[in-house]
Structure formats: structure tokens, C-alpha cells
Amino acid sequence: FYRNFFTKRTKELKPAVHSAPGWKLFGKVPPKENLQKDSKIIQQDEISASVASVSTLNLLNTGEYEARTGKMCKPAPHTMRRRNFEFEPLSTTALILEDRPSNLPAKSVEEALRHRQEYDEMVAEAKKREIKEAHRRKKIMKERFKQEENIASAMVIWVNEILPNWENMRSTRRVRELWWQGLPPSVRGKVWSLAVGNELNITPELYEIFLSRAKERWKTFGGTGAENDTEDAGVSVADREASLELIKLDISRTFPSLYIFQKGGPYHDLLHSVLGAYTCYRPDVGYVQGMSFIAAVLILNLEEADAFIAFANLLNKPCQLAFFRVDHSMMLKYFAAFEVFFEENLPKLFHHFKSYNLTPDIYLIDWIFTLYSKSLPLDLACRVWDVFCRDGEEFLFRTGLGILRLYEDILLQMDFIHIAQFLTKLPEDITSEKLFACITSIQMQNSNKKWAQVFASLMKDSKEGDKNHSPALKS
């Protein structure tokens, strides 16, 4: 039976090595002798190394089979070798369609059919995922092309029609609607400068003067002559030094994912200069954490001197001045006005926050200090800035209410700690379409009073009235 079943090439086989147990299924690593013998057989069978190296790990090797059965086995005759593949396996999942080596029992019909079905299901699922991903990419590209076309057409209108006739067209309905859709990046800086204005009458020459003064003070602080500096506007040299030193620490925290404002980055020195010059220009304000984000956004859209002019005028607005000078009385009035419209637009969420005594200062301060440039993705923050330059401080608080409306359902399920954590670090997948749809739904009107009227009435209230309107004072 042995002679009839096998060919006469049995003499070519090397005797099995019985001194080493070899490897079993999911067992030991095979001895070097067995590995070499297997590789030769695989090469003779003309099977690729990538397929063989995986398949042999799941099968008994020849030596183990011989040791168990006591029979000598040999490779299949040359004429029975499988030369042509219907496909070339690209991964281990394709191995389920491969026949077992000749020295092992063949698959049953049921097993072969089951493997074929499993493979077909895997291929169908992979194709389904690939088609779905292709449709998603196509949709994204289509939206991107549409957006680029809209930006290009809007840029032509801004450059040729609006900017040359700024004073006459800035308040027209057409321009305001176009403004709401977002400014083209190429004209964004110019429109911001015109919208913010220059009430302080700062010139580029004045910027150079304060920049030189800042550089001199940095050199002085680096030496031993800080005591020779005089006090300016009631601010001591020690306070000024601390403020200037804080700039160095804060710059490295400004948009860290961009790597352009950190040490060695292309905008590091520029941001340092603008902030240092402002600290010397407004010693009564000095440098406050959060300013670096505002200056950085302006630097990305304007030239150095223009960025400083816009920065100084922007921080001179009533809302920004109140926050950066930490005017608690004014800040409480802003919080109180915000809560009036919070209760008007989102009563359910408002009472949920009240139940936890969660006051606006917990989340609004960070949003207002950085004008949302730290809390939102940069492109979305720039679009918020677009409308902020158009509508003023009112839009900052309207944006805050839009964020609360966007995540209202989530926030209603959270307690104090989780709400504070969530609003401090907003999700990164927030999109401008969703946010601005929520902002649009916010009505900045209470009892036929708009934001400016509500805030003006709060300004006239007594201190006792402030306590009744703003729970933030109790915190």
C-alpha cells in the first residue's frame, strides 16, 4: 500500500528529526532544521513567501506529521503542483480559499463552501465600504469646489464694488448679507481694519516708537539696571517686568498646533513685538492672558503695523476694555445682560444651569477674552470675527448663545462639573454651518428691547439691582 500510494522519490527525503518536538498548532517555534525544510518545500511548490509564511503557522509541519503517524510523506508529484492561481492573495483573509498542502487532509465540501461564502461576504463588505467612502469624498470635494467658487465670486464683489465705496455701501442690506456669509480670506484683514477703525489715531511710526521702548525694557530686564526705569502711569517697574515676561510664556501657548508662533516659528518674533509694544503703549492695561490669541489672528491677516493698530483699537472697545482691565462691575453687567437673552432663548437650559448655580463667568470669560479664537477652530473663529466686526459686542454674546443652543441636548444631561469641562473645551468637529444656523435662530430681543437697550438699562440700575439680575455676583 505504501509503495502504491507514494512515488519512488522517497529516497530524496531527509530523515525526520525526532530529537526536537518541533512546533504544534499555536505552540513552540519550530527548530531551524524544520524551518529550512519547510521553506524549500514551499519554494518547490511555487507558492509565494508571504502566503506560505502565514499558512504554515496554522498547519502541522511535515516532521510533526511523520512523528505522529510513523509514515514518511513526500511532496506531491511535479505534475500535480498548482501552478496557476485564480487570484493573488493580498491578505490573510484570502487564505481561506486556498487548498491545504498535500500532506494534510483536504477540506470537506461543506468547509470549502463555507469558506467561499465567508470570503464573498468579506469582499462584498469591503466593496460596500469603498463605495461609501468614495461617495463621501466626492461630496466633500463638491462642497469644497462650490465654496471656492462662492469665495472667488464674493472676492470680486468686495474688491471691485464694496471696498472702493466703503462708507456708502458698508451698511447696505446687500453688503450685510454678503458679510454674514463670511469674508474672503484675501480681503478679510482689510475689512476688519476698516470695520474696527482707528479712533486712537495710531500711526505706523507710533508703533515703531513703542516697539523700540519695549525692546529697551527687555534688554534692561535682562541686565541689572531695572531699578533705573521710571514708573509710567502709576504702574511700577516690577509690574511692567512681570507683564512683559508673561508674554514670553504665553506666546508658546498660542495656537500650539500650528507651530508658527512658538520659538523658532516664522511669527514668533512678530507676535512678541506686537504684544510688547502694546504693553508699553497701554501700561494701565499691560498684558493679560488671552491677548496673544487676538494678536495672533490679526497677524495672520494683516501686516505688522496694521495688526498693531487694529489690536490697540479693538482692545479699546468698551467690552474688551472692561474684561482686560478686569472691571468687575462692568463684567457683571455684561453677564446680567447675557442671562436676560439666555432665559429668553433657552429657558429650559437656563433653569438647568440655575439649578447647579452655574454662572456665565465660568465659561464666558474665556470666550470673550480670546474672542473665541481659542475655543473654536481657527477658520470658524475667523468667521465669527467677520460678523463681530460688523455687529460689535452684541454678536459675541449671541455666538455664546448659539453654542449653548447647538449643544443644548447634551448639556441638559450633564451636571455642574461636566458642563464646565465641556464648555471650557468645545468639540473639535464643530462646523460653521451648524453653529451659524443656531446663531441665526437666536433672537437678541427681550420685551421689545434690543441688546443695547437692555445693557443701557442695566447700567442705570443700582448695585442692589445688579445683585438681583446677575447670580454671577454671588459666586
Side-chain angles (χ1 to χ4, degrees), residues 338-350:
F338 174 80
E339 287 198 308
V340 169
F341 294 96
F342 188 2
E343 185 177 13
E344 180 74 21
N345 288 273
L346 305 167
K348 192 174 180 180
L349 186 62
F350 174 79

Side-chain angles (χ1 to χ4, degrees), residues 177-357:
E177 290 178 353
L178 195 63
W179 206 331
W180 176 268
Q181 297 172 8
L183 298 172
S186 58
V187 301
R188 176 168 277 153
K190 180 65 174 177
V191 175
W192 286 358
S193 295
L194 292 172
V196 172
N198 188 11
E199 294 180 355
L200 300 175
N201 295 319
I202 302 175
T203 61
E205 291 75 19
L206 188 63
Y207 165 65
E208 293 295 336
I209 292 173
F210 285 107
L211 177 58
S212 301
R213 185 178 300 181
K215 290 180 178 179
E216 291 176 2
R217 291 183 180 273
W218 283 325
K219 292 179 181 179
T220 304
F221 295 153
T224 58
E227 297 156 350
N228 295 329
D229 290 333
T230 60
E231 294 186 0
D232 188 3
V235 179
S236 66
V237 176
D239 292 338
R240 179 72 62 76
E241 179 177 359
S243 182
L244 289 173
E245 288 298 318
L246 182 60
I247 294 175
K248 296 180 180 179
L249 296 175
D250 224 22
I251 287 178
S252 61
R253 305 167 187 162
T254 306
F255 297 119
S257 60
L258 297 182
Y259 303 105
I260 58 176
F261 295 104
Q262 285 65 43
K263 187 69 174 179
Y267 292 104
H268 174 272
D269 294 341
L270 187 58
L271 180 58
H272 198 193
S273 298
V274 171
L275 294 174
Y278 180 79
T279 303
C280 292
Y281 172 70
R282 290 299 299 266
D284 58 321
V285 179
Y287 176 78
V288 182
Q289 283 186 321
M291 286 183 178
S292 62
F293 282 89
I294 299 176
V297 174
L298 292 171
I299 287 172
L300 291 174
N301 291 276
L302 292 164
E303 296 296 330
E304 182 176 353
D306 295 330
F308 175 79
I309 295 171
F311 181 71
N313 281 276
L314 187 59
L315 267 57
N316 197 52
K317 302 295 182 182
C319 181
Q320 280 64 51
L321 202 58
F323 276 80
F324 282 112
R325 296 184 70 172
V326 197
D327 187 338
H328 291 286
S329 177
M330 286 291 293
M331 291 171 68
L332 289 176
K333 289 180 177 61
Y334 278 109
F335 294 147
F338 174 80
E339 287 198 308
V340 169
F341 294 96
F342 188 2
E343 185 177 13
E344 180 74 21
N345 288 273
L346 305 167
K348 192 174 180 180
L349 186 62
F350 174 79
H351 291 293
H352 181 67
F353 279 24
K354 291 275 286 186
S355 65
Y356 286 109
N357 196 29

Side-chain angles (χ1 to χ4, degrees), residues 17-32:
V17 180
H18 298 284
S19 59
W23 53 270
K24 299 179 181 180
L25 193 63
F26 304 111
K28 297 181 180 179
V29 177
K32 292 183 178 180

Side-chain angles (χ1 to χ4, degrees), residues 45-271:
D45 289 340
E46 298 180 358
I47 299 177
S48 64
S50 61
V51 176
S53 62
V54 176
S55 61
T56 52
L57 291 176
N58 296 286
L59 302 173
L60 296 172
N61 72 343
T62 306
E64 184 71 11
Y65 180 79
E66 293 171 356
R68 289 188 177 185
T69 60
K71 298 179 181 181
M72 297 290 291
C73 63
K74 59 192 296 182
H78 184 74
T79 57
M80 296 177 62
R81 291 175 188 167
R82 185 175 180 179
R83 290 182 176 275
N84 298 322
F85 290 94
E86 296 179 0
F87 64 93
E88 182 179 354
L90 299 178
S91 65
T92 56
T93 57
L95 293 177
I96 62 175
L97 295 180
E98 286 297 293
D99 295 332
R100 292 194 179 115
S102 58
N103 59 306
L104 292 177
K107 292 181 182 179
S108 64
V109 177
E110 293 79 5
E111 185 179 11
L113 290 175
R114 179 166 55 84
H115 285 176
R116 165 59 68 177
Q117 183 180 1
E118 291 175 355
Y119 177 74
D120 290 341
E121 291 175 355
M122 287 188 289
V123 171
E125 187 64 27
K127 288 182 178 179
K128 186 177 179 181
R129 289 195 302 268
E130 185 177 352
I131 293 173
K132 186 177 180 180
E133 179 65 19
H135 284 306
R136 189 186 69 84
R137 290 196 301 265
K138 184 178 180 181
K139 183 179 179 181
I140 292 175
M141 292 300 296
K142 186 177 180 179
E143 292 176 352
R144 186 176 299 174
F145 288 145
K146 184 179 179 180
Q147 185 179 10
E148 290 177 354
E149 289 177 358
N150 293 336
I151 291 174
S153 59
M155 182 187 65
V156 174
I157 297 173
W158 280 98
V159 171
N160 297 332
E161 300 180 30
I162 302 175
L163 291 178
N165 304 287
W166 174 253
E167 294 300 332
N168 296 328
M169 296 189 66
R170 63 177 299 178
S171 300
T172 61
R173 182 176 179 179
R174 180 194 178 197
V175 171
R176 290 182 65 83
E177 290 178 353
L178 195 63
W179 206 331
W180 176 268
Q181 297 172 8
L183 298 172
S186 58
V187 301
R188 176 168 277 153
K190 180 65 174 177
V191 175
W192 286 358
S193 295
L194 292 172
V196 172
N198 188 11
E199 294 180 355
L200 300 175
N201 295 319
I202 302 175
T203 61
E205 291 75 19
L206 188 63
Y207 165 65
E208 293 295 336
I209 292 173
F210 285 107
L211 177 58
S212 301
R213 185 178 300 181
K215 290 180 178 179
E216 291 176 2
R217 291 183 180 273
W218 283 325
K219 292 179 181 179
T220 304
F221 295 153
T224 58
E227 297 156 350
N228 295 329
D229 290 333
T230 60
E231 294 186 0
D232 188 3
V235 179
S236 66
V237 176
D239 292 338
R240 179 72 62 76
E241 179 177 359
S243 182
L244 289 173
E245 288 298 318
L246 182 60
I247 294 175
K248 296 180 180 179
L249 296 175
D250 224 22
I251 287 178
S252 61
R253 305 167 187 162
T254 306
F255 297 119
S257 60
L258 297 182
Y259 303 105
I260 58 176
F261 295 104
Q262 285 65 43
K263 187 69 174 179
Y267 292 104
H268 174 272
D269 294 341
L270 187 58
L271 180 58

